Amino acid sequence: MAHNFPPMKNDLVLRTAWGQNVERAPIWIMRQAGRYLPEYHEAKGNRDFFACCRDPEVASTLTLQPIDRFAGLLDASIIFSDILVIPQAMGMVVEMVDKKGPHFPQPLKSPEDGQYDKVLAKDVNVADELDYVYKAITLTRKKLDGRVPLIGFCGAPWTLFCYMVEGGGTKLFVESKKWIYKYPAETRAMLQKITEICVEYLALQVKAGAQMIQVFDSWAGELSPSTFKKFSEPYLAYIAKHLPAKLKEMGLEIVPMIVFAKGANQSIDSICDLGYNVVGLDWLVDPAEAVKIRGDRKIVFQGNADPGVLYGTKESISETVKEMVNGFGGGKGGWIANLGHGITPFVKPDDLRFYLEEIQRLTSQ
């Protein structure tokens, strides 16, 4: 059924993502709803992290907190959820362990472990299994009242696969490397399975009210240029090709698509050709260099200050913003301002406020 959402009052980020010239750079922040906000802890209470994701009312409240706090300074909201809801929907158990992060009690050990075949064969009902995400999106769109657009997202197939075989976050990626070098065919089969679920999941988020989507490839930087081409790029390209087709098939308008392959900076050139409207950059990339690599392709960049600058002085923040604005060409098009990764938990909200104000000030000139 079609939703009747309030008209948009601020569509700056959407116009920018479609490649239009704009009055200033739009801004949103990865993990803008989260632990650095005191109100987040109040609303979350003693609920488990995934319990917050599964409760549309709570997820919606958390999504809106930064929009309310930084009214007029953020140009997009992103639904409060997690990339690991897809492995959960595929039948894997994922727990959020306090102060440690996500944990899979039974990760995929090898193609012969019994679980691999079960997960690969499972017919995932993406509409039913992840219904709570769509409900949260629809509720949030209504509550936003057109103030800013709402972004939906998913984890990239490679990053989700890493979690599924490592059992959580890791510094060494022993299991992931074992899979790609020992079991490349079985790895590709699982990546394709995840990719097809991602396409359907993102399409249903758009149906529920998401106006833009982002694919987070957080562990892309663990792959060499050659293995990135084999185990990440084909699946990112599949999403970029098949999501618009799926939306058309569902009678829905296509939406701008962002890809963020963190750390895969040796591959910026080929990432610009994957079919996404927007390419997210981490803080290890010089904006001016990225602009040179982009050339005359109609790609919009997103990013990319070091999240750690928010622990610095106002002078440091101003200097970083100025360099970034100049590097990306002034902010009248071709760039969505963000950080080079998610905001970290110990940032003071007022320091983020100053960062947002500086971007607005310098790109409005």
Side-chain angles (χ1 to χ4, degrees), residues 212-271:
M212 254 177 117
I213 63 91
Q214 175 154 320
V215 179
F216 284 87
D217 207 352
S218 312
W219 301 127
E222 291 305 316
L223 291 165
S224 69
S226 155
T227 52
F228 183 71
K229 284 210 175 331
K230 290 175 193 161
F231 296 103
S232 178
E233 273 195 359
Y235 307 99
L236 293 173
Y238 185 100
I239 294 170
K241 182 182 177 187
H242 288 84
L243 177 60
K246 179 89 179 157
L247 292 173
K248 281 179 185 162
E249 187 190 300
M250 292 165 72
L252 299 167
E253 281 183 32
I254 60 169
V255 299
M257 303 179 292
I258 310 164
V259 63
F260 178 47
K262 183 179 177 288
N265 300 327
Q266 73 290 340
S267 302
I268 291 171
D269 187 34
S270 58
I271 292 169

Side-chain angles (χ1 to χ4, degrees), residues 9 15 29 48 62 75 86 105 116 127 132 141-142 145 150 152 174-175 180 182 221 254 271 355:
K9 297 164 190 165
R15 286 184 283 127
I29 302 292
D48 162 73
L62 296 173
D75 298 296
I86 286 182
Y116 172 87
Y132 58 89
R141 264 298 295 278
K142 287 176 178 163
D145 196 31
L150 179 60
V174 173
E175 300 304 323
I180 65 173
K182 257 190 179 177
I254 60 169
I271 292 169
Y355 176 76

